[in-house]
Amino acid sequence: MSHPELLEPFPDSEEMEISFGPQHPATHGVLRVQLRLDGERIVDAQPVIGYLHRGTEKIFERETYNGAIPHTDRLDYTAAATANQGLVGAVEKMMGVTVPPRAAYIRMMLAELQRIASHIIWLGTHALDIGAQSPFFYTFEEREKILDLFEEYCGARLTLNSMRVGGLPFDLPEGWTERCRTFIDQLPARIAEWERLLTKNRIWRLRTVGIGVISIADAVEWGLTGPPLRGSGLRWDIRKVFPYDRYDEIDFEIPTGEHGDTYDRYLVRMEEMRQSVRIIRQCLDALPDGPVMAKVPKVIRPPLGEAYFSVEGPKGELGYYVVADGSTNPYRLHVRPSCFINLQALPELVRGHLVADLIAVIGTLDIVLGEIDR
Amino acid sequence: MSLGSYLASLLPIDLAQGLGVTGRFFFMRKATIQYPDVKPVPKPRFRGMFGFNEERCIVCHNCAKACPIAIIHIRDHFEEIEVDGKKKKKKVLDRFDIDVKRCMFCGLCEEACPTEPVAIWLTTMSYEMAAYERNERLYYDKERLQNWDGVQPYPGVVSPEAGQLPNDPTGGKAAKPEERR
Amino acid sequence: MANPWIAYLVVPFVKIVVILLVLILVAAYLSFFERKILAYMQIRVGPNRVWPRGWLQPIADALKLFVKEIVIPARAERLVYLLGPVIMIIPALVVFSVIPFAPEGTFFGLLKQPIAPYLTDVNIGILFLLGVSSVGVYGVILGGWASNNKFSLMGGLRSAAQLVSYEVPMGFSVVAVLLMANSLSLVKIVEAQKNAGVWYFLPGFVAAFIYFACGVAETNRNPFDLPEAESELVAGFHTEYSGMNFAFYFLAEYANMVVISAVTTVLFFGGWLRPFPNVAALAFLDVIPPFVWFALKVGFFLYCYIWFRGTFPRYRFDQLMALGWKVFLPVSLVNLLVIGLGVLLIGGPR
């Protein structure tokens, strides 16, 4: 792992070069940031990754399509359901399979529950890095309830393996819809509680307003997606722009920010949690009956071809590019990792800020090293 | 900053609101489960330790083929037996080993098993399989998979030798979900 | 007392031993209560395994730190490295010689003659207190510098800058109290509050708030704990410390917390007085002995310390310094003017 190219320092400058991480409580995984500091100001910051590389895309080449799904759980391990959704959506697109309506609605519910769970991790760890210790525990209490719902449905809490090509492996258990409804009915009050702790808090605002600003043009140029892009003001969400899985039948809004700073991204994610509650409520109300698996052969052998399919994960656009060669294993399965592409904008976001702001910016980008390193 | 907003910023109302939230939580019910005195309750579909029933297994190798990381090792051979006077070939299971230390508990083997009820299942609600020796104790062969040596079963769950059915890991003996916890 | 040996040697010695013991126990158990109270605010139960239900946890921690090896970094300045924590804890303990816990009394009639439950009543009490507690800053700087670790040095310098800056508004708040009490001695300040019939918190609530907030900054606690935050570049000036050495820093921080709480109580909340000490209607509250009132008030402030830690994010360093110099200082100056005017209008201090 060689040192990345940092900006050349001015001669006779007193700049210090420090490696921030990879073992650090605030980098959300094994991320190393190569910093060049002038006193306390950051002149340049290059992220160095690869400490969690497991060769997932190579593993995909020897797995069957259904066997690859547990591996997608482990990409973004905080948002397994949307990762599953991306892979099965890509294979279904290639095979031309449409999932039954009940399966589509349940998939949407799982994805939105997963979005809330992922944003909960983001909020807890972001607040913890900035110094507020308690929101971490309050938010994780709610996440426990979501994980309980997942456990009732598919048997696992984190690495769900909850979708198959053509639909879902099994139907909802008895009482799941009631428990889900109870949960989302009390969630907005909890979100309001967390906001009371943070949103108007002057210390929070001092630490996040004006930090890590990026304009819409720059964000689009860097390829940012998800809350970092929406925080700058662009209303771009795959669920609205290229709808999948019956999102076009559901009524919800895309929150955007104005200034593109950390505070706006925080507000965007909080509002996204509320919109997810709205989506889940509509799905529960409109849940159709029927099978949960389309008529697909037992052994999935897509015809020769390729497809790219992306979902709106909690961190951004998570895409899967699959190339099939007619056999049961994909020839190539490439993941478009949302966090990796968002992380590339880190030098742009922190230049000129202090070291303490670096931590706020890493938190606001909401990176998960599993997805970055694959 | 104008004088008015400066003066208003001197009143820490937002801070007091935050203090109110944490102050209220001080008096609320705590969420800690005092493990190991009290164990967390898994849900019925929880994917835990393997259950394997040799009698039901038809040695079709579906589970081994479905496993994404190929940790199920099956060896069998054909034996000639006499059934109704005719010579028939029967598959006999020699080895059915699972390398549990590599398992990711995805459940694809359970889905692939064609028998009714399935011969391999994960819905045993038991998750305490920790061992001090990794390679010796976390590699389960046919016998250990059925007598569950080294596994601490969840209270009420019987070992597969007692002939339990999948998705009812207690063999019909446990309390209903409403009566638990 | 008749016998000067008893009066001037034995009695102070006994007092010193009692005060030190109680103080160290309080500081150690403060760490336990911090963990429990923080946990209760965070929907979890704190340490509850060490018999019974966790109450021996600080003893277990102390034992552990006692037997741990003191790892001295290779090129650290040995003597200064070992002295750093000592320089920090001694002022914290010495300050308690002037803080009054209760009025002169006979301990429920057990003693023949009344003794004062505080060690001494220096007539420049508050000045002594402010001066001695400032020496603790040396412990921070020298500890960070002697560790031979540039991050510890950075943390130590930042911490020292923060401590020194926040002493100025603190001093002005104290002067506001002095204007009202007309004496520097802590015992006389409490008695002045008794004469005035009201705790100085009521006329001087701005000063009380600023004093306590600066006190939180003085002890490097959340929301001003950037120099020792875990999610920053390093763990601050005590990165390289382990074992008993670290235990001293740890104890010194908690002892400082107790000092600030005690001084806030004495200056602004009436020390050992009950609420509205001259109002006869509340005389039924006198059944609670004075030192219990003192302990309750100090306990409340310690709870506030922990409450702040559980709630607020932390300030960035430049914002912290800006807050100290640009907000607290002008406000405390204006407050001083207002209180001075008020005292003048009432006709002199009471």
Side-chain angles (χ1 to χ4, degrees), chain A residues 24 130 134 138 207 357 359, chain C residues 41 231-232 310 314 316 319:
Chain A
H24 198 279
I130 296 196
S134 302
Y138 303 154
R207 287 298 296 265
D357 299 324
I359 294 169
Chain C
M41 286 184 188
S231 57
E232 289 306 308
R314 65 176 72 91
R316 212 173 57 199
Q319 295 160 352

Side-chain angles (χ1 to χ4, degrees), chain A residues 214-225 228-229 232 234 236 341:
Chain A
I214 192 162
S215 62
I216 297 187
D218 278 341
V220 170
E221 200 171 304
W222 279 97
L224 299 184
T225 51
L229 179 63
S232 301
L234 188 61
W236 178 266
I341 298 183

Side-chain angles (χ1 to χ4, degrees), chain A residues 124-144:
Chain A
T125 49
H126 192 210
L128 189 63
D129 290 338
I130 296 196
Q133 303 176 349
S134 302
F136 182 78
F137 295 94
Y138 303 154
T139 52
F140 269 66
E141 169 77 22
E142 298 307 307
R143 186 177 147 90
E144 280 299 306

Side-chain angles (χ1 to χ4, degrees), chain A residues 63 153-155 161 164 202, chain B residues 9 14 45 47 68 106 111:
Chain A
E63 299 284 2
Y153 171 63
C154 60
N161 196 17
R164 302 280 179 271
R202 61 185 63 190
Chain B
S9 77
D14 45 321
R45 287 192 191 172
R47 303 199 289 252
C106 62
E111 270 178 53

Side-chain angles (χ1 to χ4, degrees), chain B residues 46-83:
Chain B
F46 179 75
R47 303 199 289 252
M49 177 58 192
F50 289 90
F52 174 67
N53 192 311
E54 192 178 348
E55 287 163 9
R56 297 203 283 258
C57 179
I58 58 172
V59 202
C60 62
H61 291 245
N62 271 5
C63 53
K65 283 184 231 155
C67 179
I69 35 187
I71 51 164
I72 305 186
H73 308 290
I74 306 181
R75 295 279 181 276
D76 56 47
H77 68 267
F78 283 101
E79 260 182 22
E80 291 230 339
I81 54 162
E82 287 272 339
V83 169

Side-chain angles (χ1 to χ4, degrees), chain A residues 113-169:
Chain A
L113 278 173
Q114 189 71 79
R115 190 182 314 274
I116 300 177
S118 173
H119 284 331
I120 279 178
I121 298 189
W122 159 79
L123 180 59
T125 49
H126 192 210
L128 189 63
D129 290 338
I130 296 196
Q133 303 176 349
S134 302
F136 182 78
F137 295 94
Y138 303 154
T139 52
F140 269 66
E141 169 77 22
E142 298 307 307
R143 186 177 147 90
E144 280 299 306
K145 300 178 188 157
I146 299 184
L147 296 185
D148 279 344
L149 283 172
F150 281 145
E151 190 183 342
E152 279 173 28
Y153 171 63
C154 60
R157 291 154 61 89
L158 194 71
T159 51
L160 304 175
N161 196 17
S162 58
M163 300 181 191
R164 302 280 179 271
V165 176
L168 298 164

